[in-house]
Amino acid sequence: MEGKELLGNIQLIHTTPMGAERIRRNLQIEGDAVEYCRDKILSPEAIISREGKNWYVALKNCVITVNASSYTIITAHKSPL
């Protein structure tokens, strides 16, 4: 199952203060951006794939990009679907 490594290290997922602000703005959310993303990543509907150095988590309403070596959330944006 692709994504097992990401799910197994869910507690390591983090972002920078600037990244958190970008995520909140892009997804139009308030509150803790990291917790929001962790919840989305753990969702049964999440489709997790790895391309090169990044994990991509696709859901019906958003796509989250996580660096595969540092587990830093790089960005998240609304899905075009």
Side-chain angles (χ1 to χ4, degrees):
M1 175 180 126
E2 192 160 21
K4 192 173 182 180
E5 180 185 345
L6 180 64
L7 294 173
N9 290 293
I10 194 77
Q11 75 283 358
L12 298 178
I13 293 176
H14 65 282
T15 195
T16 63
M18 204 157 78
E21 194 56 43
R22 180 173 49 250
I23 293 163
R24 283 192 289 271
R25 183 179 63 247
N26 289 352
L27 297 180
Q28 298 175 331
I29 62 169
E30 294 186 21
D32 190 330
V34 173
E35 282 304 312
Y36 180 88
C37 290
R38 283 181 183 158
D39 287 345
K40 292 292 186 183
I41 292 167
L42 291 170
S43 168
E45 292 83 31
I47 299 169
I48 302 172
S49 61
R50 183 167 174 178
E51 295 178 31
K53 63 180 182 173
N54 293 326
W55 290 103
Y56 295 91
V57 182
L59 293 117
K60 185 172 69 172
N61 61 343
C62 69
V63 176
I64 302 167
T65 306
V66 180
N67 180 278
S69 60
S70 67
Y71 297 99
T72 304
I73 304 167
I74 298 166
T75 193
H77 57 273
K78 289 188 175 186
S79 177
L81 299 177

